[in-house]
């Protein structure tokens, strides 16, 4: 790799979306560099679900197998580092890493993911991805028929409750403040015997990341076996916005149907550009981004 600093495509982020894009491009003999810092958002999650052929595997095992397969394609190079800045050039883009390396590429793919913003609640971070989860499709089956909480309010809490209600009849919404539901929503929650607790959460009691109890600021305590939480997030990388890529009102990088951002030559795929946060979706969108970049390169060259 030290002999080559120039690539057709630079992929920033070497998890599911980035590796999927790299496989497509590698199979088309494109000269590709993957830059990855080794800090995926699901690092703490013990098992991955709802991705066919890989159901129940550890996320790191899926990534390791994917990386091994991708690097069988000799035109794909992997560089373990953190991309810290990017700049448009006359022929494409220049990326600078934390270690001071510089690479150039005709096209960029950002598969950088997002960072969850943890609430200031003791015990929350230790449980995140284990028994405090974000998605009923990824984790709901494992929490079926259990004492389940939803840490959210308003429309987000209502949406989660409607999905989780099919998985358990012991469901409580924890709003940590005045509940924000309209009359129709409240009627449906009551119809399905979904309780609401407005007291502020003080602490999550747990054992090795497994929730036992939620302690409230009024001194009350309630037992849970699993909790869904709707967390705010930030982009894992600020390079896309520094290049001029627009983000939507939710904070996701704006892309079109072909994963193209608002900046020519720059693509984004995976969790950074969609609310559909799952391995299966990241793989799909990475595959699509890689295929369309190959088409774009072909159109420019043929």
């Amino acid at each position: 790799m030290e002999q080559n600093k120039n690539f057709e495509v630079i992929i920033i982020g070497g998890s599911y979306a980035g590796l999927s894009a790299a496989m497509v491009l590698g199979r088309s003999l494109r000269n590709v560099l993957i830059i990855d810092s080794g800090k995926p958002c699901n690092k703490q999650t013990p098992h991955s679900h709802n991705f066919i052929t890989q159901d129940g595997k550890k996320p790191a095992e899926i990534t390791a197998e994917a990386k091994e397969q991708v690097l069988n394609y000799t035109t794909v190079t992997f560089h373990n580092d953190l991309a810290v800045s990017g700049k448009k050039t006359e022929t494409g883009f220049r990326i600078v890493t934390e270690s001071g390396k510089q690479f150039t590429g005709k096209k960029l793919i950002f598969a950088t993911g997002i960072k969850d913003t943890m609430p200031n609640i003791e015990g929350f971070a230790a449980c995140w991805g284990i028994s405090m989860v974000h998605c009923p499709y990824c984790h709901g089956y494992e929490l079926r028929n259990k004492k389940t909480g939803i840490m959210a309010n308003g429309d987000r809490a209502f949406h989660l409750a409607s999905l989780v209600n099919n998985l358990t009849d012991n469901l409580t919404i924890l709003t940590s403040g005045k509940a924000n539901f309209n009359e129709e929503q409240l009627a449906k929650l009551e119809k399905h015997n979904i309780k609401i607790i407005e007291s502020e959460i003080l602490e999550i009691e747990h054992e090795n990341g497994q929730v036992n109890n939620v302690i409230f600021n009024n001194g009350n305590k309630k037992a849970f076996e699993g909790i869904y939480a709707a967390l705010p997030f930030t982009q894992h990388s600020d390079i896309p916005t520094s290049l001029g890529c627009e983000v939507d009102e939710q904070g996701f990088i704006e892309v079109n149907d072909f994963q193209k951002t608002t900046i020519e030559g720059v693509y984004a795929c995976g969790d950074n550009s969609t609310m559909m946060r799952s391995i299966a979706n990241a793989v799909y969108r990475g595959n699509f981004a890689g295929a369309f970049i190959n088409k774009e390169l072909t159109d420019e060259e043929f």
Side-chain angles (χ1 to χ4, degrees):
M1 186 203 66
E2 296 299 335
Q3 296 177 347
N4 185 16
K5 304 289 186 181
N6 306 305
F7 297 85
E8 290 179 288
V9 184
I10 296 177
I11 300 173
I12 301 175
S15 192
Y16 312 107
L19 290 170
S20 180
M23 178 170 279
V24 174
L25 292 162
R27 289 181 57 80
S28 295
L29 301 183
R30 295 298 180 184
N31 191 17
V32 178
L33 173 67
I34 305 168
I35 302 174
D36 183 69
S37 61
K39 296 179 180 179
C41 67
N42 64 355
K43 190 173 184 178
Q44 188 165 283
T45 304
H47 301 285
S48 168
H49 293 283
N50 208 31
F51 181 26
I52 197 166
T53 77
Q54 303 292 320
D55 192 47
K57 273 193 176 181
K58 293 180 179 179
E61 290 179 356
I62 301 174
T63 306
E65 183 178 356
K67 181 179 175 182
E68 180 182 3
Q69 292 178 358
V70 169
L71 293 183
N72 282 331
Y73 297 97
T74 56
T75 61
V76 180
T77 300
F78 195 96
H79 180 57
N80 189 9
D81 206 344
L82 178 67
V84 294
S85 67
K87 185 178 181 180
K88 186 80 172 69
T89 67
E90 290 184 2
T91 57
F93 302 90
R94 178 179 292 107
I95 296 295
V96 179
T97 70
E98 191 174 51
S99 67
K101 299 286 195 314
Q102 295 191 33
F103 304 98
T104 60
K106 294 179 182 178
K107 310 289 183 183
L108 292 181
I109 297 178
F110 288 96
T112 41
I114 56 178
K115 293 187 291 186
D116 296 303
T117 303
M118 301 290 168
N120 187 24
I121 297 173
E122 184 178 348
F124 185 99
C127 297
W128 186 237
I130 300 173
S131 58
M132 306 280 298
V133 299
H134 76 287
C135 172
Y137 295 109
C138 297
H139 307 284
Y141 184 81
E142 285 64 45
L143 295 180
R144 67 194 185 282
N145 302 322
K146 293 186 176 182
K147 299 174 184 176
T148 304
I150 292 176
M151 281 182 59
N153 203 348
D155 292 341
R156 181 60 176 157
F158 184 80
H159 172 67
L160 275 171
S162 69
L163 295 175
V164 177
N165 181 66
N166 188 55
L167 300 167
T168 180
D169 58 3
N170 193 330
L171 185 57
T172 303
I173 296 175
L174 311 172
T175 59
S176 280
K178 184 173 177 57
N180 182 24
F181 301 104
N182 60 40
E183 291 185 5
E184 182 181 358
Q185 289 172 333
L186 286 171
K188 286 188 176 181
L189 293 174
E190 183 177 357
K191 172 186 173 183
H192 293 287
N193 196 32
I194 298 172
K195 299 170 284 296
I196 300 172
I197 297 178
E198 296 180 317
S199 302
E200 185 178 345
I201 297 172
L202 187 66
E203 180 183 348
I204 307 295
E205 282 189 340
H206 68 97
E207 185 173 347
N208 297 322
Q210 295 294 332
V211 174
N212 290 326
N213 297 288
V214 171
I215 300 175
F216 300 95
N217 63 349
N218 60 8
N220 291 339
K221 177 188 293 191
K222 184 172 178 62
F224 288 98
E225 297 170 279
I227 298 176
Y228 296 87
L231 298 186
F233 68 88
T234 57
Q235 287 287 331
H236 209 169
S237 174
D238 60 4
I239 301 176
T241 53
S242 75
L243 290 172
C245 298
E246 295 183 14
V247 298
D248 64 22
E249 59 185 15
Q250 294 176 292
F252 295 108
I253 300 172
E254 287 192 4
V255 294
N256 67 8
D257 291 342
F258 306 109
Q259 304 301 135
K260 295 182 71 171
T261 71
T262 53
I263 297 299
E264 188 65 31
V266 181
Y267 290 69
C269 53
D271 294 350
N272 62 12
S273 50
T274 177
M275 64 183 298
M276 293 296 292
R277 187 176 178 182
S278 71
I279 292 178
N281 191 61
V283 170
Y284 154 69
R285 292 180 182 272
N287 181 280
F288 206 87
F292 200 80
I293 280 189
N294 184 63
K295 179 187 181 303
E296 198 169 71
L297 289 168
T298 299
D299 291 344
E300 293 170 3
E301 298 164 354
F302 190 70

